């Protein structure tokens, strides 16, 4: 009823109404329905709004060190732990693990982004890792970097237009 009185239409909703008599203040909390899509100035079409921003805590260490850090950090106990099962093999080339299913921190972050429904962010992070690795290996071998190669083109193709 309050939404109709205020002229608020879906996807907007009135989440709560509170009147404080002591200071004579009316507080109306306006929210949007989960899964809503909105027009964004300067961008065509409608775009989703994230109802909750996911938070991932990534331990940047070798696998044995990360396990030790996790066990020795009781403040992390209340956080859910993700088991990331991926069919892909780690593409990280700078320091090799003895296992192909051990990913570098950047690869784990990309898997988390994909899991959070952000495939564009995941692919962009993967592309940045590929470009970084290529630059590092070229510099290590004192070779020039081709800024127009397939890795750089892929990274550019993933850029969000402004």
């Amino acid at each position: 009823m309050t939404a109709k009185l205020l002229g608020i239409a879906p996807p907007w909703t009135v989440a709560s109404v509170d009147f404080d008599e002591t200071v004579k203040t009316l507080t109306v909390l306006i929210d949007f329905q989960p899964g809503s899509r909105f027009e964004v100035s300067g961008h065509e079409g409608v775009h989703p709004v994230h109802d909750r921003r996911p938070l991932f805590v990534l331990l940047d260490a070798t696998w044995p060190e990360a396990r030790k850090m996790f066990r020795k950090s009781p403040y992390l106990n209340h956080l859910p732990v993700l088991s990331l099962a991926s069919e892909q093999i780690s593409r990280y080339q700078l320091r090799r693990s003895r296992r192909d299913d051990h990913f570098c921190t950047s690869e784990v972050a990309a898997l988390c982004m994909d899991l959070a429904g952000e495939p564009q962010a995941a692919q962009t992070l993967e592309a940045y890792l590929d470009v970084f690795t290529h630059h590092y290996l070229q510099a290590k071998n004192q070779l020039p970097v081709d800024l127009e190669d397939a890795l750089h083109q892929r990274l550019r193709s993933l850029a969000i237009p402004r």
Side-chain angles (χ1 to χ4, degrees):
M1 181 69 167
T2 307
K4 194 172 189 177
L5 288 172
L6 294 173
I8 297 171
W12 298 101
T13 62
V14 175
S16 67
V17 177
D18 182 50
F19 181 70
D20 185 340
E21 288 187 46
T22 56
V23 288
K24 297 186 176 15
T25 304
L26 175 66
T27 304
V28 180
L29 177 61
I30 299 172
D31 202 355
F32 55 87
Q33 298 165 343
S36 298
R37 299 176 73 80
F38 296 93
E39 290 183 8
V40 178
S41 176
H43 297 279
E44 289 185 33
V46 291
H47 304 277
V49 174
H50 298 284
D51 304 324
R52 289 183 46 210
R53 175 176 281 164
L55 172 67
F56 297 102
V57 177
L58 304 177
L59 301 178
D60 188 19
T62 64
W63 285 91
E65 289 170 341
R67 267 192 289 281
K68 191 185 323 180
M69 288 166 62
F70 187 74
R71 280 196 307 269
K72 292 187 175 198
S73 304
Y75 54 88
L76 296 175
N77 289 345
H78 74 283
L79 298 176
V81 177
L82 293 177
S83 258
L84 299 171
S86 175
E87 286 78 43
Q88 77 183 43
I89 294 174
S90 176
R91 297 189 325 256
Y92 189 64
Q93 301 170 23
L94 304 183
R95 184 179 12 172
R96 291 304 310 155
S97 170
R98 284 174 260 176
R99 295 181 50 179
D100 287 337
D101 62 340
H102 280 186
F103 299 103
C104 73
T105 307
S106 179
E107 289 174 312
V108 170
L111 289 169
C112 289
M113 291 289 99
D114 205 33
L115 189 65
E118 296 288 347
Q120 175 86 17
Q123 292 169 16
T124 303
L125 190 52
E126 289 169 352
Y128 268 113
L129 177 62
D130 292 341
V131 167
F132 170 79
T133 301
H134 178 68
H135 277 247
Y136 180 88
L137 293 174
Q138 292 296 97
K140 182 179 175 183
N141 296 307
Q142 298 181 351
L143 297 170
V145 173
D146 179 5
L147 299 178
E148 298 303 320
D149 66 5
L151 295 175
H152 288 84
Q153 288 179 19
R154 178 172 179 250
L155 181 57
R156 278 194 294 275
S157 74
L158 290 166
I160 298 173
R162 292 183 177 211

